Amino acid sequence: MASIHLIGIGGVGMSALAQAFLDKGWQVSGSDRLCAQGIDTPTLQTLRGEGVRLTPQDGSGIEAGQVVVYSTAIEADNPDLVAARRLGCPLLHRAAALAKLAEGHELIAVTGTCGKSSVTALLGHLLTACGRDPAIVNGAEIVGLEQGGTRIGSVRASASPDSLMVVEADESDKSLMGLSPRHVIVTNASSDHFPKAEAEALFGAFKAKATGVVIDTSGLPPEPPPAGTGWEARFTWHGRDWVLPMPGAHNVANAKAALAMALALGCPEEALAEALATFRGIRRRLERHGTYAGADVIDDYAHNVEKLAAAWQTLQRAFPAGVFGLWRPHGYAPLRKMLEPLAAMFNATVRPCDRLLLLPVYDAGGSADRSISSADLLSRLTCPAEAVADLSVAEGRLRELARPGTALVTFGARDPGLSALASRLATPQS
């Protein structure tokens, strides 16, 4: 049995790969810094339950003959990488591992600065409902695929080795160029990991690799606010009325991109309309956890300017009485690149009845340049905003702010404590 070891297996990208390799019959192990800290997340618990051997990230888990998978975030002196080189293990970048999983499949790659996880999930759901039995590897968990916590919910296995395969193609380190897609969706192009012009050039080069259908919605004007009440959006497209059980103009744009690809691949429109109305959403994308003191508790992955603006504005329409959002910047380099646009966005978006709570930058260790902090952003804000020292302080402040008709929202990538905080807020107090 082939054996593979994933460094940083607790992250959303690596845990998805781990699940997909398990589905292909591989023996899987992995390391994570959280293991050494004694932190056992639901993701790690699920992987362990599936038979994955979890180890600290100290080199002790590497065995000769294993394929070792790493990402751009893993530094050259990482003990697992050092041990893998010493033992002569084959090394695969995360994108190359995804390409290996895609071998034999008709690959549909979804990329873009924003919306790619949602479009991947939507397209996978539509194709599944239309009987196409796609394999799916996403960057976010799709509600229902977790099977009661027994699987990583960002992955769907197909019964056919040559079926359609829908994957989220991450653009952050440009490694998506190692994929060989048949079909491509580009959701949008904006400044995040690099300037907009550079993103546009990257996505243009990626589209050129496709040999089949290309759907590019990056140049389209913004969607108008959709019709519908509560937690749904109604829109007209292709002369038909559609219902999406998710709010927000950005989600309508995501749905149209997925629908366009599904139609191009031969799915009947009537079946797609029925399927769209049954989509259950994805974790950490305006995910409602419950209520506290009459306020809705919501968790969202938004971490760059466009995603934060889209999510906050969507919530403002649903909660005119106030949106109280807690956000943690997910890294020092992204905060440095987005500092001024973030300040401008928050100042233009956060209303007098809203409040932004700002946590310190999430520190994943390593040799990051820590010469910037959340205080640099706070000093540029004129909207209602305040610093909170940690998640415990933030929780207390959100409980103080809660009132009926408002929303308590945790925003941000990477930090597992954000989702856990949302769950605590929504849990009845004893």
Side-chain angles (χ1 to χ4, degrees):
M1 180 186 295
S3 177
I4 195 164
H5 181 93
L6 298 100
I7 305 175
I9 198 170
V12 290
M14 288 297 190
S15 61
L17 290 180
Q19 180 68 71
F21 276 106
L22 284 169
D23 292 342
K24 294 281 189 180
W26 287 60
Q27 181 178 334
V28 178
S29 66
S31 66
D32 201 276
R33 286 172 175 165
L34 295 179
C35 295
Q37 299 170 25
I39 300 174
D40 201 18
T41 66
T43 295
L44 295 174
Q45 292 170 15
T46 299
L47 291 171
R48 187 183 297 107
E50 290 197 271
V52 174
R53 180 172 60 89
L54 300 176
T55 68
Q57 212 168 94
D58 58 6
S60 62
I62 304 297
E63 298 176 353
Q66 283 185 307
V67 175
V68 175
V69 181
Y70 65 98
S71 72
T72 304
I74 302 301
E75 296 170 319
D77 61 352
N78 180 281
D80 276 12
L81 268 183
V82 172
R85 292 192 190 98
R86 185 181 70 249
L87 294 171
C89 296
L91 295 174
L92 279 185
H93 187 275
R94 180 180 63 179
L98 182 58
K100 186 171 187 63
L101 287 166
E103 289 176 356
H105 290 277
E106 184 177 344
L107 182 61
I108 308 170
V110 182
T111 193
T113 308
C114 306
K116 51 188 175 289
S117 295
S118 294
V119 173
T120 301
L122 279 159
L123 179 57
H125 171 75
L126 295 173
L127 293 172
T128 301
C130 290
R132 301 296 293 271
D133 188 30
I136 304 169
V137 181
N138 198 17
E141 295 202 40
I142 304 167
V143 176
L145 293 189
E146 76 283 2
Q147 296 183 10
T150 61
R151 284 179 57 87
I152 300 300
S154 49
V155 176
R156 181 185 189 275
S158 172
S160 173
D162 58 356
S163 65
L164 291 168
M165 184 175 192
V166 187
V167 305
E168 176 180 341
D170 177 35
E171 88 290 359
S172 64
D173 57 3
K174 302 185 181 182
S175 61
L176 79 170
M177 294 302 293
L179 298 174
S180 298
R182 175 76 179 277
H183 314 291
V184 167
I185 295 177
V186 177
T187 58
N188 73 341
S190 58
S191 176
D192 186 355
H193 302 283
F194 25 79
K196 182 178 180 180
E198 195 172 336
E200 291 172 336
L202 174 64
F203 297 141
F206 190 62
K207 286 191 300 181
K209 293 173 69 72
T211 58
V213 180
V214 173
I215 304 294
D216 186 352
T217 60
S218 62
L220 297 180
E223 286 286 334
T229 58
W231 216 248
E232 71 173 19
R234 295 177 178 269
F235 60 98
T236 301
W237 186 69
H238 277 218
R240 174 188 289 273
D241 292 331
W242 304 78
V243 178
L244 173 67
M246 300 175 71
H250 63 299
N251 281 321
V252 171
N254 292 336
K256 287 181 178 180
L259 286 166
M261 179 60 77
L263 282 170
L265 295 176
C267 293
E269 195 169 288
E270 185 65 37
L272 290 173
E274 293 178 5
L276 187 67
T278 65
F279 182 62
R280 295 172 60 190
I282 56 180
R283 303 293 183 199
R284 303 218 64 219
R285 303 304 190 274
L286 295 181
E287 180 185 2
R288 290 192 294 178
H289 280 246
T291 62
Y292 172 75
D296 277 48
V297 179
I298 297 160
D299 183 38
D300 194 87
Y301 192 73
H303 57 279
N304 67 17
V305 178
E306 290 78 10
K307 293 174 183 177
L308 286 161
W312 202 297
Q313 290 163 11
T314 295
L315 291 168
Q316 286 174 331
R317 287 188 286 273
F319 300 96
V323 174
F324 308 126
L326 170 70
W327 181 57
R328 185 193 290 282
H330 67 290
Y332 296 98
L335 178 60
R336 185 175 291 106
K337 292 175 183 176
M338 297 186 292
L339 185 61
E340 298 302 336
L342 278 167
M345 180 276 296
F346 281 128
N347 287 333
T349 301
V350 179
R351 303 167 299 185
C353 64
D354 298 337
R355 184 163 294 271
L356 169 65
L357 307 182
L358 195 56
L359 281 161
V361 178
Y362 184 71
D363 194 324
S367 57
D369 178 357
R370 296 172 172 80
S371 60
I372 193 168
S373 72
S374 294
D376 294 295
L377 175 58
L378 188 63
S379 68
R380 290 164 167 78
L381 298 181
T382 57
C383 63
E386 63 189 77
V388 285
D390 54 36
L391 288 169
S392 177
V393 174
E395 179 175 348
R397 189 71 180 104
L398 286 170
R399 293 187 187 277
E400 291 172 356
L401 290 167
R403 62 180 187 272
T406 63
L408 309 179
V409 193
T410 50
F411 289 113
R414 301 186 76 182
D415 183 0
L418 293 166
S419 294
L421 171 54
S423 294
R424 287 198 303 275
L425 286 170
T427 300
Q429 302 293 292
S430 58

